[in-house]
Amino acid sequence: MKTIQFREAICEAMSEEMRRDESIYLMGEEVAEYNGAYKASKGMLDEFGADRVIDTPISELGFAGIGVGSAMNGNRPIIEFMTFNFALVGIDQIINNAAKIRQMSGGQFNCPIVFRGPTGSAGQLGATHSQAFESWFANCPGLKVVVPSNPADAKGLLKAAIRDNDPVIFMESEQMYGDKAEVPEGEYLIPLGVADIKREGTDVTIISFGKIIKEAYKAADELQKEGISCEIIDLRTVKPLDYEAILKSVKKTNRVVILEEAWPYGNVASEIIYHIQSNAFDFLDAPIEKINTADTPAPYSPVLLAEWLPDYKDVINSVKKVLYK
């Protein structure tokens, strides 16, 4: 094992895959000369040259479309959005072309493309730069959606995403790029659609993904002091969901709390709750709790932002609620 930053894990994954397959290239704003807005492509221009690490104008619709077209013609593009808030400018290419071309062409065209970049809030960035669109993309058939929470998972999942023959939305976080953790030496892949039990427990299942899962870890540590044992599932992939892992844990603990940084209406947690009540209702000893942001645009004020975002105290309160404590 070695200890590296999240941004380095992303860079290693892309670089290893580009060495292996010449059809892979990286395109986006500031990915080349500036080494990436978050330095996640540091050194890649020097190694692979300007034909495969390509700076673009500020035109997400344009370079997303170039990526989709080249994927249909045998390439495997990695399209970086400086944030997925900006992907809204290019979302027509993602939803109406990348996600649908395989079906609409009767299988004549695949679209092996990765759209990657940060999602969610990252401090005082205002309402238009603090949005989490995981559930939006997951709602669209034809897309796979990956949201890693640590460097090791990020590297293995990104390599698998690049090799996948379908379009993959790969969502990171500005606030995780500096995170350091152990990553295996040598090549490894983590299959898409497989959740991971990050912490074994017996009293309650906490389901989460992405950077917000850190609040679940904090809550679990505090609850352990009170003798409450929390099992934490990191979904890692939200489309497809690992229903088997979720149901297995629910049948073990009989209580569920879902933590998701997203607006509360019609999100990933809602889908999980429906599936649990459809397939494991008789195993539940309490109603399922879900924790989300407030149902408003993200505020700029640090005081209001702290109230808007879920934290470990919210998790503790929800766990105690499902335990009737």
Side-chain angles (χ1 to χ4, degrees):
M1 303 288 280
K2 59 184 178 182
T3 300
I4 60 174
Q5 291 183 328
F6 193 104
R7 60 169 57 89
E8 293 173 304
I10 295 294
C11 186
E12 283 191 4
M14 294 191 294
S15 297
E16 288 175 14
E17 292 303 299
M18 287 176 67
R19 293 179 197 122
R20 186 186 63 84
D21 184 347
E22 291 188 357
S23 71
I24 300 168
Y25 67 88
L26 172 66
M27 176 183 284
E29 297 156 1
E30 299 185 349
V31 299
E33 296 289 346
Y34 193 64
N35 285 311
Y38 313 105
K39 301 299 179 277
S41 52
K42 186 176 181 179
M44 291 180 64
L45 175 63
D46 293 338
E47 178 173 357
F48 299 105
D51 288 340
R52 296 182 68 197
V53 182
I54 305 167
D55 276 332
T56 67
I58 301 174
S59 179
E60 286 79 7
L61 181 64
F63 63 79
I66 290 171
V68 172
S70 70
M72 292 168 59
N73 283 279
N75 291 302
R76 290 182 173 270
I78 305 166
I79 303 300
E80 178 179 313
F81 296 118
M82 196 175 292
T83 117
F84 266 97
N85 298 284
F86 303 154
L88 298 187
V89 182
I91 200 168
D92 178 62
Q93 291 292 340
I94 300 171
I95 301 298
N96 283 329
N97 291 331
K100 294 180 174 62
I101 193 61
R102 183 174 180 180
Q103 184 195 53
M104 292 181 69
S105 70
Q108 295 179 79
F109 292 104
N110 287 333
C111 192
I113 186 171
V114 174
F115 298 98
R116 54 159 292 268
T119 183
S121 64
Q124 291 178 262
L125 298 181
T128 60
H129 288 191
S130 303
Q131 303 168 108
F133 294 122
E134 292 91 327
S135 61
W136 284 29
F137 291 112
N139 183 253
C140 180
L143 299 177
K144 297 176 181 178
V145 183
V146 181
V147 193
S149 67
N150 61 78
D153 285 354
K155 182 177 179 180
L157 289 164
L158 182 52
K159 286 171 69 69
I162 293 168
R163 297 189 193 189
D164 201 281
N165 286 325
D166 291 314
V168 179
I169 307 296
F170 195 92
M171 309 181 94
E172 304 154 14
S173 168
E174 290 104 320
Q175 292 182 324
M176 289 198 298
Y177 285 120
D179 288 358
K180 287 186 176 182
E182 289 188 337
V183 172
E185 297 276 6
E187 178 167 281
Y188 69 97
L189 279 75
I190 296 173
L192 307 188
V194 179
D196 190 31
I197 307 296
K198 296 298 188 186
R199 180 173 180 147
E200 296 276 355
T202 57
D203 295 328
V204 60
T205 298
I206 303 174
I207 302 169
S208 191
F209 59 90
K211 79 171 189 292
I212 200 72
I213 200 172
K214 296 176 184 179
E215 300 301 314
Y217 297 146
K218 292 179 190 174
D221 288 341
E222 291 299 314
L223 289 163
Q224 188 65 50
K225 298 173 184 177
E226 300 180 34
I228 298 172
S229 174
C230 300
E231 181 148 297
I232 299 178
I233 298 178
D234 186 345
L235 294 174
R236 304 197 293 196
T237 304
V238 301
K239 180 76 173 286
L241 280 169
D242 189 351
Y243 291 117
E244 183 179 349
I246 293 168
L247 293 176
K248 183 178 179 180
S249 182
V250 171
K251 292 174 182 179
K252 172 184 175 184
T253 68
N254 311 116
R255 294 174 172 86
V256 183
V257 172
I258 306 173
L259 172 64
E260 177 186 6
E261 183 183 338
W263 294 310
Y265 192 92
N267 51 34
V268 174
S270 303
E271 173 65 20
I272 295 170
I273 290 169
Y274 171 77
H275 196 84
I276 292 172
Q277 67 88 21
S278 296
N279 295 280
F281 181 80
D282 290 339
F283 290 88
L284 291 172
D285 288 341
I288 299 168
E289 281 285 303
K290 79 182 182 89
I291 308 166
N292 299 121
T293 67
D295 195 13
T296 70
Y300 177 77
S301 158
V303 176
L304 293 177
L305 184 63
E307 287 296 313
W308 182 82
L309 265 175
D311 65 13
Y312 76 98
K313 295 176 185 177
D314 297 316
V315 179
I316 290 173
N317 290 336
S318 290
V319 168
K320 290 184 175 181
K321 185 175 180 181
V322 300
L323 288 168
Y324 302 111
K325 292 191 175 184

